[in-house]
Amino acid sequence: MLPVSPLKKSALIPFFLILLSPPVTAQQPVNDSLLAVLRSHIKNDTARVNLLNQVARAYFTIDAPSAARYGREALRLSDSLHYSKGKIWAWRNLALVENTKGHLDQQMQLTLNALKLAETLGDSYTLGVLNNDVGNIFTELNAPRDALVYLKKSLDIKLQRNEKTEIAKTLNNIGSAYISMKVPDSAMMFLEKAEKLKLALHDRRSLAYTYENMGIVAMLQHRYNDALRYHQLSANYYREAGNLPGVVKSSLNLAEIQTMQGDLKSADKNLQQAKLLNDTLGNVKNEMIYYKIRYELDSARNDYAAAFESYKEFSKRNIDFFNAEKGRLISRSQEKYESEKKQRENILLKKEQHMHLATIQQQRVLVLSAAALFLALLLITVMVYRLYKRQQELYLELNNKNREVSMQNRIILEQNATLENLNQVKDKIFSVISHDLRSPLAILEGLLFLLKDEKIDAAQFRMYTDELWRDVKNTAYMMDNMLQWASNQMKGIGVKPDDFDVTLLLNREFDLLQTLARQKEVKLRHELNNSIMVYADPDMIRLVLRNLINNAIKFTPSGGEVLITATHDNEQAEITVKDNGTGIPVENQHRIFSNIYYSTTGTQNEKGCGLGLHLSKDFVERNQGQIWFNSMPGTGSSFSFTVPLSEEPEINPHAYTVVVQDHPLGGVSVLRR
């Protein structure tokens, strides 16, 4: 996060003076009177619970930590008193606090807890409010179609009760859902209905939300003057109510529309105000929106260096928000799967119960028949025999069904295990693509955008080419590792051993690795001067060498050295890659070759996907070798592995001479003879 300059800090005093205008301070005695009543009521009963919930509701837009404290106390007291209504509103208040922080998943869980309990009580007012809340959360999660189901259910309940204030709120929220669906005409229709009701009720506090949404619709329809007017009305009403999250949103909206209209000074002022307040609220989504608008403002000022930095900050937060959303979608898919699984189990149980009931019914018929036809002993005996045979058949059929169910359960468990393994592969691939591969591409995209529009000249672009080239090569290596790992996990990789010269193989890879080392001003050399014939899969050994050398370069600072040496006896060759870099912390050394995919950034923030060393260990062991390492933090690391020697020596062995020369433009070059 960027530090706040003294100039920005100075904006805090007039901004809060605006918040302390007469309408806001007029609300303060109401909150103080509530607190006074709460302090005078010391008895732990349901009345105190209701007071705690009222205070929490009054404070959540002004002082979220205090609101959370009162809500938690109300929840604990309601739980001890078994007061269900108190628990419902305590959960709801805690959910609203989580919304101010941008924690939509926690808000959804708390609201669903309250809704489930409210359904058991059958309180229509509470059900209308909570269904409205769930719809709002789905809208913020970009699931407007799910939101409309709950919002329309809430509207039906409120219309039956003729609660005009609550009806206006839900009409506003339905408009928000249609905005998310990009249907501005339908959104404006519901928002205008909400505005009419709220104006009639003089509900200025709630009008802030409606004018905010009407401003967004006007922006979608390119009516920028109308959008500015609506957002200014929204900002005024939010400030009147002392609604800090609302003030942040309205400041961001004003900054965006003012940037579009060219009023850059006002836009910058509103952006500073939004950031100062959001730093206290800690809302991640608002922070992401701030950097997006800051990027647009810097571009409009032709300050492309600052725009590039803002774009990087926005891109990083956008990736984190995407990962969080992906995690929530996976969680919801798992919950849906568990729900469907329980439904299937319930169906099987019901079938078994029907079979048992049928058997019991037949036994009852037997008893009644025996009592009614006691004198007809022969007839009863025949009937009992037939019923007995039928019962045996039913038991046999039931046993057969049980065996079939058990067999199906085993099949389902095996399929679940297979699906879980495939999901792990998928999740790892998605994680690498969505985070490690998107970051360099996002930065490259931003630079190319500036270069294409001639907002940055070629000289400035060349300042970033070395860093971009290194990031792209690291990304290519990560992609190679990921594809090899995914292929190994999903279908297995067959070993194709052959006789080859490991020295020749290293020389073919050395030029590219030498370029990477030169970018970091790291000296890279090897002492494999003679032919070493080994028997292994050359593609696997090439990947092992590349990963070990690339890792050594990654964790060696400028001015350091990476050395590759080899020794051999009568059976196997031992190859060592040694560096004098940062070394591996002792507490993390046990994770290097484990199944836990461990990755850290290099000395120049190079990234990895955590698969290289794990894959190298697998490939070495598949080729009848061993791999190990020695590392001392702050001193460096050495990684060694063995590979079997070829049983048939090369007919025409040859030697290699490695000559290291200083390059005229910096770094070193390597000549081989």
Side-chain angles (χ1 to χ4, degrees), residues 424 428 485 489 591 594-599 609-611 614:
Q424 290 178 357
K428 183 63 181 177
W485 174 80
Q489 293 291 315
R591 302 169 63 186
S594 68
N595 290 327
I596 302 171
Y597 302 109
Y598 170 71
S599 176
C609 59
L611 299 174
H614 177 77

Side-chain angles (χ1 to χ4, degrees), residues 7 29 39 178 249 288 303 320 339 344 360 404 417 475 512 518-519 550 574 595:
L7 179 60
R39 293 188 183 113
Y178 279 113
K249 291 191 297 179
M288 179 179 70
D303 189 354
D320 293 339
S339 175
R344 291 194 298 269
I360 293 171
E404 290 177 7
T475 302
L512 183 57
R518 187 181 302 121
Q519 292 291 331
N550 190 45
E574 178 181 325
N595 290 327

Side-chain angles (χ1 to χ4, degrees), residues 604-636:
Q604 292 186 3
N605 294 320
E606 302 99 324
K607 294 184 177 179
C609 59
L611 299 174
L613 293 177
H614 177 77
L615 196 62
S616 297
K617 180 177 183 294
D618 186 28
F619 282 2
V620 169
E621 291 177 351
R622 284 172 180 259
N623 286 277
Q624 311 303 317
Q626 294 180 335
I627 187 169
W628 66 94
F629 73 96
N630 292 301
S631 181
M632 183 69 67
T635 301

Side-chain angles (χ1 to χ4, degrees), residues 343-355:
Q343 289 178 359
R344 291 194 298 269
E345 292 173 351
N346 289 335
I347 291 171
L348 290 174
L349 287 173
K350 287 181 180 179
K351 288 182 179 179
E352 292 177 2
Q353 289 175 355
H354 287 313
M355 293 179 66

